[in-house]
Amino acid sequence: MSTVSIAAYVYGMVQGVGFRFATQHQATGLGLTGYARNLEDGSVEVVASGEQEKVDKLLAWLKEGGPKHARVDRVLSEPTAPGHYSDFKIKY
């Protein structure tokens, strides 16, 4: 199977609610690599690499609202070049 990679930008109440940790848990459970990090504008950037079906599942979870304490208003995503990640990390 080929590896695909996306960069997703999640907007809403997504900082200070465990969003990055929950995203890491979801991504790791799907066997994806990449990272999640807070951006200065209040959004969260998620870069995920792996099998297409699994990346699609993570993206659907993000669009559905992520963890229960978050409020996702919108998710913008785009394909990106696969990075060389060994696991899924939280970047600070």
Side-chain angles (χ1 to χ4, degrees), residues 3-21:
T3 297
V4 299
S5 186
I6 61 151
Y9 301 91
V10 187
Y11 298 88
M13 191 177 76
V14 293
Q15 291 189 10
V17 293
F19 197 91
R20 291 172 300 157
F21 295 100

Side-chain angles (χ1 to χ4, degrees), residues 37-55:
R37 70 175 172 172
N38 288 343
L39 298 179
E40 289 183 17
D41 67 358
S43 66
V44 172
E45 175 186 40
V46 177
V47 172
S49 296
E51 296 174 14
Q52 180 75 58
E53 179 181 330
K54 293 178 179 183
V55 170

